[in-house]
Amino acid sequence: MKEYLQRLANRESFSEEEMQEAVGIMLNDEQISDSEIAAFLVALKTKGETVDEISGLVKAIRLNTIGFRRSYSNVMDNCGTGGDGSSSFNVSTTSAFVIAGCGITVAKHGNRSISSKTGSADVLEQLGVELSMPTQLAEELLEEIGIAFLFAPHVHPRLKKVMKVRRELQIPTIFNFIGPLTNPVDLDSQLLGINRRDYLEVFAEVLNKLGRKRALVLNGAGKLDEASLEGENHLIFLQDGVMNKMTLHPEEVGLPSFPNSAIKGGDSKRNAEILLQVLKGEEGAYRDTVLLNAGLAIFTSGIASTIPSGINIAKESIDSGAAYEKLVKLVEKSRVTKQEVI
């Protein structure tokens, strides 16, 4: 590790393979100190992370995770990096059930709140979903009902020490952005929201290196890490190694405009209420935001040939009750006692 720290101090960049080796040491060498981990993260941030370094970091984490042995047809994840400061409700978590409701397998990877009031794990736990389910059960859920929640601390136990350092640093590092990339399931497609517009191309290139067949990286109006109804959204669509930049205003796809303040959330109880309202068909800014994000994900998966058709499929998933049924089944199958919430 000393050699890698010295190279970072000299502002040298690593190859993907070198980064994999450095992170492998960090995760597996019990002699590595908190101060060495902190020095590595801060030096990497100061130098600026390259595409090869990010992809090497992600691959090292995935090599050290709890493995998922089965393969699935058309499996995807939809997740944002967080950190946009908007205090919005759990858009991607709500959207995940809508996506699953139209027949796409969703391996929803997430964590408790770090930079916001309520993370995906917090709201799902409030609804009664068991977070620390065995890998075998998660695999069965993906096969049987088409959606499972993969709780990051449970599937990445070797990251515990790094996460402790990250919280103590109290400054953003690369670990604030790579969470959605470390899904232990081999994904076919991915919708990734980020709060940094200048990182769009970088993360599209990383997703390509990680083998995504189709992916959409977006930064919403107001710099949200979700697609926003407030105005122009910036996107990069990746398909078979080819990247296309685009912008999207909600009115271009038949949705109304709302300010970002209209999708404010609250604590886990409040955000669970909003999620249920959307899945049960209540109209308004929350629903339309989910329709936009779920529609983009459905398009990204390849089920829909256009974004407007993806939004229409999302509407049907909600209005038919299919999205809500996915939530009910996930609660039941994950062996939870809080079913009274629903």
Side-chain angles (χ1 to χ4, degrees):
M1 182 55 70
K2 183 178 179 181
E3 176 189 343
Y4 287 111
L5 288 172
Q6 185 60 56
R7 289 181 59 186
L8 281 175
N10 294 333
R11 305 185 71 85
E12 293 182 36
S13 292
F14 301 145
S15 68
E16 183 178 294
E17 293 75 17
E18 288 171 331
M19 191 64 168
Q20 269 190 254
E21 182 179 1
V23 176
I25 294 170
M26 187 187 303
L27 297 180
N28 293 291
D29 188 343
E30 294 182 1
Q31 301 304 312
I32 297 295
S33 67
D34 288 358
S35 59
E36 286 176 303
I37 295 173
F40 187 90
L41 296 179
V42 173
L44 188 65
K45 173 185 173 65
T46 302
K47 178 189 72 66
E49 305 90 348
T50 68
V51 169
D52 281 344
E53 288 169 342
I54 298 171
S55 59
L57 171 63
V58 171
K59 288 180 179 180
I61 292 171
R62 294 188 77 244
L63 282 172
N64 285 277
T65 194
I66 294 176
F68 280 69
R69 296 180 299 277
R70 306 182 193 184
S71 58
Y72 310 91
S73 176
N74 194 22
V75 61
M76 81 175 307
D77 191 7
N78 68 311
C79 191
T81 59
D84 61 19
S86 67
S87 300
S88 61
F89 77 108
N90 296 90
V91 178
S92 64
T93 306
T94 310
S95 299
F97 294 103
V98 179
I99 298 162
C102 63
I104 300 166
T105 301
V106 180
K108 188 76 177 81
H109 181 249
N111 206 339
R112 293 192 184 279
S113 171
I114 294 175
S115 59
S116 61
K117 284 186 178 180
T118 309
S120 55
D122 300 303
V123 73
L124 289 174
E125 185 176 53
Q126 177 68 35
L127 290 163
V129 176
E130 176 60 49
L131 300 184
S132 300
M133 66 183 71
T135 301
Q136 182 180 351
L137 176 57
E139 291 182 317
E140 290 173 2
L141 292 176
L142 287 172
E143 287 190 353
E144 292 177 14
I145 66 173
I147 186 168
F149 182 67
L150 314 180
F151 185 39
H154 183 64
V155 298
H156 302 298
R158 293 185 183 178
L159 280 177
K160 185 176 181 180
K161 191 172 186 178
V162 177
M163 292 300 99
K164 172 179 175 288
V165 173
R166 173 191 165 188
R167 289 185 176 92
E168 290 175 350
L169 279 174
Q170 295 187 341
I171 60 170
T173 70
I174 189 58
F175 276 87
N176 290 72
F177 301 100
I178 54 94
L181 304 177
T182 60
N183 194 312
V185 173
D186 290 326
L187 304 173
D188 296 299
S189 58
Q190 185 162 5
L191 178 70
L192 172 62
I194 61 176
N195 68 345
R196 290 274 302 271
R197 194 161 293 173
D198 56 326
Y199 270 27
L200 284 172
E201 192 165 344
V202 168
F203 277 84
E205 291 178 4
V206 171
L207 286 169
N208 187 41
K209 277 182 163 287
L210 295 177
R212 304 292 188 265
K213 297 171 186 174
R214 295 166 64 98
L216 189 67
V217 188
L218 65 87
N219 177 256
K223 303 295 178 67
L224 262 62
D225 69 331
E226 315 279 2
S228 165
L229 299 173
E230 186 170 86
E232 189 173 72
N233 298 276
H234 291 250
L235 309 89
I236 295 183
F237 178 56
L238 170 71
Q239 182 174 15
D240 298 326
V242 178
M243 292 188 291
N244 291 305
K245 295 181 181 180
M246 62 183 84
T247 58
L248 179 71
H249 192 285
E251 292 178 354
E252 297 172 1
V253 289
L255 291 172
S257 293
F258 284 98
N260 289 334
S261 59
I263 58 168
K264 292 278 188 183
D267 60 14
S268 59
K269 182 178 180 180
R270 173 57 184 149
N271 284 8
E273 291 171 351
I274 295 170
L275 185 152
L276 289 171
Q277 288 167 6
V278 171
L279 297 190
K280 290 181 178 181
E282 185 171 313
E283 297 187 355
Y286 295 126
R287 171 188 164 102
D288 288 337
T289 299
V290 168
L291 289 177
L292 178 58
N293 282 273
L296 286 168
I298 294 164
F299 164 73
T300 302
S301 76
I303 294 295
S305 58
T306 65
I307 295 170
S309 62
I311 291 170
N312 287 332
I313 293 171
K315 289 178 182 177
E316 177 62 22
S317 178
I318 295 175
D319 294 341
S320 68
Y324 179 70
E325 184 64 21
K326 291 294 181 180
L327 170 61
V328 172
K329 287 182 177 179
L330 181 60
V331 171
E332 291 175 350
K333 297 285 186 178
S334 65
R335 304 168 189 172
V336 151
T337 61
K338 294 182 181 178
Q339 296 182 29
E340 68 273 7
V341 174
I342 296 177

